[in-house]
Amino acid sequence: MVRQLSIAMLATAMTFIPITAHAQDSTNAHILAVVDTFFEGLNTADEEMMASVVVEESIVASVRESEDRPDLRVSSIEESIEGLLDGGSYYEEYWEPVVLVSGPIAVVWAPYLFESDGERTHCGVDVFNLMRLDGEWMITGIQYSVVRDGCPPGR
């Protein structure tokens, strides 16, 4: 009887594993779609597309290593988007994203490379902070490192 109960409990528990994994995959896909929308807007110079997936009060912070000390730059998302749309042509791609989710908050961590007017300028790591607001995932902050040397080949 105990063995039958254990088998029944194990079988019941195993039926929930695919549902949980599928739900997590679906959530991750929604989160990455938001990041992809932001990058599509960046890569096509579409300010409205980028703004559609960020909270207006979002902050962007970058850090560049230097000989003296790290160079930290912080700006509003609005200032960052305006700076990216100053007439240049930009392309950024990321790969192997790590997505962490806890209820209504999520983080996406991914290495990236960046090109300006067709020339590789730097690479590093992007970190996107997101929150699920009114049922939609939105970017609430972006942090990234800037590395000028040793960037991997891109596209």
Side-chain angles (χ1 to χ4, degrees), residues 28-97:
N28 288 0
H30 282 88
I31 291 165
L32 290 174
V34 170
V35 173
D36 289 344
T37 297
F38 184 83
F39 279 124
E40 184 178 346
L42 169 69
N43 294 337
T44 61
D46 187 333
E47 180 177 359
E48 288 182 24
M49 184 178 289
M50 284 188 281
S52 75
V53 292
V54 297
V55 172
E56 191 174 309
E57 297 84 6
S58 297
I59 297 295
V60 177
S62 66
V63 64
R64 293 159 174 79
E65 290 296 326
S66 67
E67 291 181 20
D68 299 338
R69 62 183 177 83
D71 177 18
L72 174 66
R73 297 178 187 183
V74 179
S75 64
S76 70
I77 191 70
E78 183 179 318
E79 291 169 323
S80 292
I81 290 174
E82 286 174 5
L84 288 168
L85 300 175
D86 66 0
S89 169
Y90 302 107
Y91 176 80
E92 183 170 348
E93 69 177 286
Y94 72 94
W95 59 93
E96 298 179 6

Side-chain angles (χ1 to χ4, degrees), residues 135-147:
E136 299 292 326
W137 288 101
M138 298 291 288
I139 296 169
T140 57
I142 302 171
Q143 294 77 40
Y144 62 96
S145 61
V146 176
V147 178

Side-chain angles (χ1 to χ4, degrees), residues 15 21 24 51 59 69 104 127-128 135 141:
T15 62
Q24 185 63 43
I59 297 295
R69 62 183 177 83
V127 177
F128 287 84

